[in-house]
Amino acid sequence: MPVPLYQAKADFFRTLGHPVRIQVLELLREGPRPVRDLLTEIEIEASSLSQQLAVLRRAGIVNATRDGATVVYELSSPDLAHLLVDARRILTDMLAGQGELLAELRAEGRKVG
Amino acid sequence: MPVPLYQAKADFFRTLGHPVRIQVLELLREGPRPVRDLLTEIEIEASSLSQQLAVLRRAGIVNATRDGATVVYELSSPDLAHLLVDARRILTDMLAGQGELLAELRAEGRKVG
DNA sequence: TACCGAGTTGCACAATTCTTCAACTTGATA
DNA sequence: TATCAAGTTGAAGAATTGTGCAACTCGGTA
């Protein structure tokens, strides 16, 4: 693997490594959403959400477009959805036999695919 | 998404978010390997590699088994390979038109799938 | 037992990242 | 223009991670 590449991959994964950012991405998987919408589903202050959206934006993982007074976010790559599904599968493997978290992962799997 | 789940996902991704750990995982994708082997391919001191292997072990992402005097590591879930491939695809999307990193990603894509 | 090679661990300091709050921008409305 | 709602930004201190080195454990071997 060429030198800067594993660094880019590491940066990418690190960007995903935050609970609020994960919640945002899971919501955006279903399609573009205004910030106001995200704010009602994620319990957090507006400025904190904005901080995390900025991290995702700077990393190029989401795109923001302004529509009048509201800002709408969307995933910049549809493959993000695959990645999140893979991650769930891996967590299922890893947590096999480790209790309630496993049950939740399975329940989500039924809904999502 | 239930409360602790996005936290588990975030922790998982954060664990992947380090250049040495990415290199290790990419090498282990091809199969189990002794530490000595990893050490010759990754330019780093033994103790630093050990630190990062410990992070992956604690997260349950790799498993270590002792074979005499050498320790062999392997991925704990084969789906990790899919995830890394998805990640490459996403980076390709995101970096489209951004120069040399893109060329490297494509070259790797030809080799790997 | 003594010794060496293979790995691991603990620790202290450096570097990043998070969190929170106040201040600011932009668009809509009166 | 004044004002309000929607988001964003900047900055400081707190918390988490990363780095490098010395010390340690465990097998194998003389």
Side-chain angles (χ1 to χ4, degrees), chain A residues 30-44:
Chain A
E30 299 162 19
R33 293 227 193 185
V35 173
R36 197 175 340 94
D37 235 62
L38 300 173
L39 211 42
T40 66
E41 308 226 32
I42 306 176
E43 290 204 355
I44 194 183

Side-chain angles (χ1 to χ4, degrees), chain B residues 19-36:
Chain B
V20 169
R21 298 198 291 263
I22 288 290
Q23 288 176 84
V24 167
L25 294 177
E26 297 273 8
L27 290 169
L28 294 185
R29 230 179 27 175
E30 299 162 17
R33 294 230 193 182
V35 173
R36 197 175 339 95

Side-chain angles (χ1 to χ4, degrees), chain A residues 25-81:
Chain A
L25 294 177
E26 296 274 8
L27 290 170
L28 294 185
R29 231 179 26 176
E30 299 162 19
R33 293 227 193 185
V35 173
R36 197 175 340 94
D37 235 62
L38 300 173
L39 211 42
T40 66
E41 308 226 32
I42 306 176
E43 290 204 355
I44 194 183
E45 283 178 47
S47 77
S48 300
L49 178 58
S50 230
Q51 293 277 7
Q52 303 309 329
L53 289 173
V55 172
L56 292 171
R57 239 187 300 121
R58 280 194 292 269
I61 291 174
V62 302
N63 290 112
T65 53
R66 180 154 219 138
D67 177 22
T70 85
V71 177
V72 176
Y73 278 83
E74 66 185 329
L75 298 184
S76 68
S77 166
D79 285 310
L80 247 336

Side-chain angles (χ1 to χ4, degrees), chain B residues 35-36 47 50-51 73:
Chain B
V35 173
R36 197 175 339 95
S47 78
S50 230
Q51 293 277 7
Y73 278 83

Side-chain angles (χ1 to χ4, degrees), chain B:
Chain B
M1 195 159 45
V3 174
L5 185 47
Y6 50 75
Q7 181 65 59
K9 286 184 183 173
D11 290 347
F12 169 71
F13 283 120
R14 191 176 332 178
T15 302
L16 300 185
H18 187 288
V20 169
R21 298 198 291 263
I22 288 290
Q23 288 176 84
V24 167
L25 294 177
E26 297 273 8
L27 290 169
L28 294 185
R29 230 179 27 175
E30 299 162 17
R33 294 230 193 182
V35 173
R36 197 175 339 95
D37 235 64
L38 299 174
L39 211 40
T40 65
E41 309 227 31
I42 306 176
E43 290 204 355
I44 193 182
E45 283 177 48
S47 78
S48 300
L49 177 58
S50 230
Q51 293 277 7
Q52 303 308 329
L53 288 173
V55 172
L56 291 171
R57 238 187 300 123
R58 281 195 291 269
I61 291 176
V62 302
N63 289 113
T65 54
R66 180 154 221 138
D67 177 20
T70 85
V71 178
V72 175
Y73 278 83
E74 66 184 331
L75 298 184
S76 67
S77 166
D79 285 310
L80 247 335
H82 300 342
L83 187 94
L84 293 169
V85 171
D86 278 348
R88 179 162 45 65
R89 192 173 302 124
I90 291 164
L91 286 173
T92 306
D93 282 15
M94 287 186 346
L95 295 170
Q98 281 188 32
E100 63 175 29
L101 205 50
L102 179 61
E104 290 176 1
L105 285 160
R106 287 203 173 127
E108 185 177 318
R110 241 165 266 132
K111 282 185 298 193
V112 176

